[in-house]
Amino acid sequence: MSLMRSVLLGISENRWMRARGPRLWFVRRASRAFMPGDEFADMLRAAGELRPLGIDTVFTRLGENVTDASEASFVTRHYVEVLDALGTAGIRCEPSIKLTQLGLDLDKEQSYANLRALAARAHATGNYLWIDMEQTSYVDVTLELTKRLKAEFPRVGVCLQAYLYRTMDDLNALVEQGIGVRLVKGAYKEPATLAYPKKADVDENFFTLATVMLECLSRKNGFRPVFGTHDVNLIARIRAHAERAGLAARDVEVHMLYGIQRGEQLRLVKDGAIVRVLVAYGSFWFPWYMRRLAERPANVWFVVKSMFAG
Ligand SMILES: Cc1cc2nc3c(=O)[nH]c(=O)nc-3n(C[C@H](O)[C@H](O)[C@H](O)COP(=O)(O)OP(=O)(O)OC[C@H]3O[C@@H](n4cnc5c(N)ncnc54)[C@H](O)[C@@H]3O)c2cc1C
């Protein structure tokens, strides 16, 4: 891991910086490249602009590691209201949530009750519920709660991280239960005992996992393979593999983050792939934005530039 990446990920997890970072106006200004605004209405506006381009949306209200049960309840109510509003308006936006935002650090059973309330509302409104993957200490419990949820609700998916050595085993277990998988490379700082330290190995593992995910499409048990990456070469390799395996262009579903690789998003739509863009909103953007900087440390220059922009 590069020093810069390590420093940025360290900042993203530092409590003092999490509290004070959002007050830095130039960081806030730079973060706007990756999020259309703080409010749900900003997300909806972005989704409305993407739809005519053939791109649907996944959305998340930023927040993690909540330390107050009332905040977890507030977030749950917010998502329930939003799911109802989307259902009524017939807008295709899928929620993606973090379990620590629903109070996992405080009370596992209460966070599951919150999660269940969201899954029930997603189910009732014909939506799909995605669960993000956080640091390795949360992987077991995230998978456990996802599997419990799937026993009750059909359209549930979870994120898996290709940088973890364990992911092939986790993938096989999820496929068995017909749980959707959004495969990503992984955004946190993890030790070499648990995660591939070299980027080339992460990329290769991503491809290997992707081939297994595509093979499992034929099971038709609800398993939904999604590739959450901006890596153009990797996507091209996965699409070529899918074509060789006789799959249709639409069998490859790619999710990207708002503001990243816009040209590639449009190219993929034109080529027949399914593309969704994850749009984030909310005021707790600092750790999330630091992880975006860590993914591409050159982005730090945008922060520096935003200090001097008029
Ligand atoms: C839809 C979605 C959901 C995600 N959910 C999770 C999750 O739940 N848990 C988790 O650990 N991680 C999550 N991630 C983040 C993921 O783990 C990676 O950190 C992130 O996607 C960067 O890796 P990459 O696959 O794009 O490949 P990289 O090899 O890092 O990047 C490939 C190319 O994409 C571009 N790029 C990548 N990142 C950026 C950026 N921040 N700014 C500008 N350009 C960039 C650059 O051109 C780069 O060369 C998610 C990512 C996506 C797209």
Side-chain angles (χ1 to χ4, degrees):
M1 187 186 289
S2 77
L3 181 63
M4 181 70 126
R5 178 158 192 261
S6 180
V7 168
L8 289 165
L9 289 179
I11 293 173
S12 78
E13 295 193 0
N14 181 282
R15 274 190 192 198
W16 193 87
M17 282 307 293
R18 278 185 173 196
R20 284 159 189 81
R23 293 186 209 152
L24 300 169
W25 58 269
F26 55 94
V27 184
R28 183 187 181 82
R29 183 192 273 182
S31 73
R32 294 300 124 156
F34 299 126
M35 53 186 291
D38 279 1
E39 306 299 329
F40 175 66
D42 298 316
M43 186 293 284
L44 260 192
R45 180 175 33 79
E49 287 162 9
L50 290 164
R51 184 79 279 281
L53 306 174
I55 298 174
D56 281 325
T57 308
V58 177
F59 69 96
T60 194
R61 182 181 187 277
L62 294 171
E64 53 200 86
N65 300 115
V66 305
T67 52
D68 180 349
S70 63
E71 168 70 5
S73 305
F74 171 83
V75 171
T76 307
R77 280 199 305 278
H78 170 79
Y79 274 113
V80 164
E81 282 167 21
V82 159
L83 282 164
D84 280 342
L86 293 172
T88 308
I91 299 172
R92 280 180 284 175
C93 294
E94 299 177 345
S96 193
I97 51 101
K98 287 191 177 15
L99 292 183
T100 66
Q101 192 183 18
L102 299 184
L104 182 61
D105 292 336
L106 302 168
D107 178 344
K108 179 174 143 188
E109 286 310 313
Q110 184 54 47
S111 69
Y112 182 70
N114 292 340
L115 180 67
R116 206 186 160 280
L118 300 191
R121 205 54 67 107
H123 181 65
T125 54
N127 210 321
Y128 194 99
L129 182 67
W130 286 105
I131 300 168
D132 291 357
M133 191 57 80
E134 302 176 66
Q135 292 91 332
T136 36
S137 53
Y138 295 111
V139 174
D140 280 328
V141 67
T142 301
L143 296 177
E144 177 201 326
L145 298 187
T146 304
K147 288 171 188 169
R148 254 166 90 179
L149 202 65
K150 172 68 182 181
E152 284 190 81
F153 303 101
R155 288 185 299 277
V156 173
V158 67
C159 177
L160 288 183
Q161 298 151 324
Y163 62 14
L164 297 184
Y165 303 130
R166 60 178 285 172
T167 294
M168 184 60 88
D169 291 340
D170 292 335
L171 173 64
N172 287 328
L174 293 171
V175 166
E176 280 305 314
Q177 283 190 249
I179 295 172
V181 172
R182 176 179 76 216
L183 183 65
V184 302
K185 291 188 187 175
Y188 299 89
K189 193 173 175 176
E190 301 295 355
T193 47
L194 299 174
Y196 293 99
K198 287 194 191 135
K199 188 177 178 316
D201 293 333
V202 178
D203 293 357
E204 207 45 44
N205 196 38
F206 193 115
F207 180 71
T208 306
L209 292 159
T211 58
V212 172
M213 287 166 69
L214 289 172
E215 269 165 34
C216 294
L217 248 182
S218 57
R219 293 200 175 199
K220 305 209 181 329
N221 65 349
F223 173 66
R224 174 178 170 192
V226 165
F227 308 107
T229 181
H230 315 95
D231 188 331
V232 177
N233 294 334
L234 191 51
I235 295 170
R237 262 182 96 189
I238 293 168
R239 294 188 70 231
H241 177 85
E243 198 179 340
R244 280 196 301 275
L247 297 172
R250 285 186 68 74
D251 290 331
V252 176
E253 180 171 354
V254 177
H255 290 187
M256 293 193 185
L257 300 179
Y258 178 86
I260 303 180
Q261 298 284 30
R262 289 173 200 245
E264 179 66 7
Q265 292 168 16
L266 296 175
R267 253 191 309 280
L268 284 168
V269 170
K270 196 162 149 274
D271 290 350
I274 295 189
V275 180
R276 281 184 181 265
V277 163
L278 193 153
V279 184
Y281 62 96
S283 52
F284 193 75
W285 46 266
F286 186 77
W288 180 87
Y289 181 58
M290 285 300 118
R291 291 196 290 273
R292 302 294 77 81
L293 294 186
E295 282 156 8
R296 191 167 174 263
N299 286 345
V300 171
W301 286 112
F302 294 116
V303 179
V304 175
K305 270 199 230 159
S306 82
M307 278 178 95
F308 302 104

